[in-house]
Amino acid sequence: MLRRTPPPPWIAMYHSVDTDRDDPYRVTVTPGRLDAQLRWLRARGLRGVAVRDLLAAHARGAARGLVGLTFDDGYADFLRHAVPLLRRHGCTATVFALPGRLGGDNAWDPLGPRKPLLTAEGLRSCAEAGMEVASHGLRHVSLPPADDTTLQDELRGSRDLLHALTGEPPAGFCYPYGHVDARVAAAARDAGYAYACAIDPGRLSGVHALPRVHVGQRDTALRLHAKRRLHALRRRTPAGLPAAVADPAAVADPAAAADSAAAAQTDTGTYAGPRTGTRAS
């Protein structure tokens, strides 16, 4: 009997939560939209959790109904807008912070607008609120072209700084721009991270290159449903995860998924960016 390959866990990728509609990279959702998206999850018996907790639940075979929620870049609006909404809906999330830019802004985005980043105090407040604080590197640089010294600074240096700030070594890493290759994924593992998030890592998909789904302002109920279904077909199941990692509710009948496809665009390349036309993470 052929055994069906389980789909990858569903991990949603957010960035900024704000009312500013100046959003050339399509990385911002309004508080009202996030509230509606969280209500959509809860109405379907789903609960958003930090990636660390999602993977721990999978290891116990207890992850049914859990969805990973991630917020890249460590914007100050995560604490101001996202945390209250997450707590209202009984959810947690992972915030991927940049300890080399604490209290700074998103200077890596040439088109702006400038968005303030979390301070050290803000990161500690996130952790105290039950959120997972993980690393996005020191300064938000693409890692595959980095030399060995820069790579270690971004991976180990950021981990050490976050450990000092929160009192707990971060379990997770998120690759800036979603850029990862075999060398970088191995370095993340060797730096002590239990997991690392990518976007669409293809053949690299594994515990240190977890696939995620971009969620944005345009994602209403129908699009969220389609994205969740299509994720099971478009993404590889990460290597090294136990069979319990399957998201049973997301196993899609191919015909049903085809019907859903018209409601959602592909998850990568949905927001413009400075180098290649796609700003990823």
Side-chain angles (χ1 to χ4, degrees):
M1 175 186 253
L2 291 176
R3 184 178 180 183
R4 189 174 189 177
T5 301
W10 204 55
I11 303 176
M13 177 181 69
Y14 288 92
H15 290 78
S16 174
V17 182
D18 200 359
T19 56
D20 188 353
R21 294 303 182 95
D22 182 9
D23 188 28
Y25 301 111
R26 300 180 188 172
V27 296
T28 303
V29 298
T30 62
R33 179 65 75 199
L34 177 61
D35 182 52
Q37 291 166 344
L38 294 175
R39 280 191 282 108
W40 180 87
L41 287 176
R42 299 303 270 151
R44 281 149 187 80
L46 303 172
R47 182 166 65 91
V49 297
V51 178
R52 172 191 59 195
D53 300 331
L54 176 67
L55 297 183
H58 280 310
R60 302 191 305 271
R64 186 179 182 88
L66 298 183
V67 173
L69 298 179
T70 62
F71 291 77
D72 292 9
D73 301 338
Y75 292 109
D77 58 42
F78 174 76
L79 180 61
R80 184 169 65 254
H81 294 310
V83 169
L85 289 170
L86 290 163
R87 297 187 72 177
R88 180 188 303 170
H89 290 283
C91 297
T92 59
T94 301
V95 57
F96 289 113
L98 296 156
R101 293 186 181 270
L102 294 176
D105 61 30
N106 56 328
W108 62 88
D109 283 335
L111 298 182
R114 291 294 150 248
K115 291 176 174 283
L117 303 177
L118 286 162
T119 63
E121 181 180 356
L123 282 177
R124 285 190 286 267
S125 294
C126 291
E128 290 167 1
M131 307 298 145
E132 178 188 13
V133 175
S135 177
H136 204 23
L138 284 175
R139 297 171 292 271
H140 204 286
V141 299
S142 179
L143 296 182
D147 60 37
D148 289 344
T149 298
T150 300
L151 182 61
Q152 292 306 313
D153 284 345
E154 292 291 325
L155 291 168
R156 295 179 184 273
S158 64
R159 192 167 191 264
D160 291 344
L161 283 175
L162 289 176
H163 187 181
L165 282 172
T166 66
E168 181 179 359
F173 187 84
C174 175
Y175 303 109
Y177 304 104
H179 295 173
V180 59
D181 58 17
R183 166 179 167 260
V184 171
R189 179 197 63 216
D190 295 344
Y193 293 103
Y195 74 86
C197 284
I199 299 176
D200 190 4
R203 294 182 179 277
L204 286 176
S205 185
V207 176
H208 288 91
L210 292 168
R212 295 183 296 164
V213 177
H214 168 67
V215 178
Q217 180 66 16
R218 296 189 299 166
D219 289 322
T220 56
L222 182 59
R223 287 174 58 86
L224 287 173
H225 173 77
K227 283 191 171 186
R228 187 162 183 249
R229 289 284 186 173
L230 292 171
H231 179 67
L233 298 178
R234 291 176 172 170
R235 301 292 195 265
R236 291 173 177 265
T237 298
L241 293 183
V245 79
D247 179 4
V251 177
D253 173 75
D259 291 339
S260 297
Q265 295 177 349
T266 183
D267 299 317
T268 56
T270 57
Y271 41 106
R275 285 191 180 178
T276 63
T278 58
R279 182 203 184 281
S281 183

